[in-house]
Amino acid sequence: MKQVSASILSANWLKLGEELKRAEEAGCDCIHVDITDGHFVSNLTMGMDITRAVCGATNLRTDVHLMIEEPGRFIAAFADAGADSITFHHEATAHPFELIREIKKHGKLAGVALDPATPVEAIEHYLDQVDLVLLVAVCVGFGGQKFIDAVDEKIKRLAKMREDKDLHFEIQVDGGINTGNGAEKRQLGVDNLVGGSMIFLSEDIKDTVRLLKA
């Protein structure tokens, strides 16, 4: 499974409809929607209305990445907004099983995300419950950063856990992905490469996506 997600954090928001169409035509598989609250991470991005508009304007799978405190308060709202999958941060909750049940109750794919410094062993006890694991490879909440090399080891460990336990969750990586390192991350076990500025600021978006899937 070689997928590419386009993170609209780096899109031109004044032309968001056109940007979504560009991502679709370029061969992207998913639209990645980063939600921040100014608390879990220090910046603010988008909220429910933008998410609803994006979900209604694309036929691609919409992945909502909640970088927020108390994510359980907002799962129903983002599910109603049309998200296909909802990913919460392990660091933001003491009750991951409850959040996973809530997400799946709404018929959505359930994902868990890890900050760069959080080991994958922290989620080992509930890997069999999730549909995807998102490894964030930069400081969360900001685009255009360099990939943190230590995340490579996390990718390898997570892929081995999946194989050893015969599980089938999707491995996503977000942050610092480009056409120069994408193939390397694939070889380590990544299924879905999430790109923002790399995709939307590319001179040839179709070629960029093609290289990421090669």
Side-chain angles (χ1 to χ4, degrees), residues 83-97:
D84 295 305
S85 63
I86 300 175
T87 298
F88 63 90
H89 266 263
H90 171 79
E91 302 85 358
T93 181
H95 307 287
F97 289 97

Side-chain angles (χ1 to χ4, degrees), residues 15-201:
K15 300 179 179 180
L16 193 49
E18 295 176 28
E19 295 283 68
L20 293 172
K21 185 176 181 180
R22 285 178 67 216
E24 288 186 7
E25 292 177 346
C28 290
D29 303 281
C30 311
I31 298 297
H32 191 81
V33 184
D34 287 310
I35 306 297
T36 64
D37 60 2
H39 298 283
F40 183 72
V41 296
S42 59
N43 68 328
L44 289 166
T45 54
M46 61 204 85
M48 211 73 63
D49 290 340
I50 294 292
T51 302
R52 183 175 292 105
V54 168
C55 292
T58 181
N59 293 318
L60 300 181
R61 176 177 129 195
T62 50
D63 288 335
V64 169
H65 176 196
L66 299 179
M67 291 177 277
I68 62 176
E69 294 179 352
E70 299 184 65
R73 293 176 53 200
F74 300 96
I75 287 172
F78 280 105
D80 290 344
D84 295 305
S85 63
I86 300 175
T87 298
F88 63 90
H89 266 263
H90 171 79
E91 302 85 358
T93 181
H95 307 287
F97 289 97
E98 181 179 329
L99 292 186
I100 293 166
R101 283 195 296 269
E102 178 71 9
I103 293 168
K104 293 191 173 184
K105 182 181 77 173
H106 291 279
K108 310 300 181 178
L109 299 177
V112 60
L114 293 178
D115 286 349
T118 304
V120 293
E121 288 77 11
I123 61 172
E124 187 172 7
H125 60 296
Y126 63 90
L127 281 175
D128 61 334
Q129 302 294 309
V130 298
D131 300 295
L132 66 94
V133 177
L134 172 59
L135 299 180
V136 180
V138 294
C139 296
V140 291
F142 297 87
Q145 300 179 61
K146 184 179 182 295
F147 186 94
I148 296 173
D149 292 336
V151 175
D152 281 345
E153 187 59 34
K154 292 175 62 175
I155 297 171
K156 290 189 284 187
R157 291 205 301 271
L158 184 60
K160 189 175 188 305
M161 286 179 186
R162 180 172 64 178
E163 181 180 3
D164 290 347
K165 297 175 180 291
D166 192 28
L167 300 175
H168 304 284
F169 57 83
E170 173 185 310
I171 297 176
Q172 293 186 356
V173 170
D174 185 8
I177 296 296
N178 55 56
T179 54
N181 64 16
E184 173 191 344
K185 309 313 173 191
R186 295 275 189 212
Q187 291 174 351
L188 296 178
V190 176
D191 305 300
N192 194 326
L193 297 171
V194 182
S197 55
M198 169 199 61
I199 291 176
F200 288 112
L201 301 183

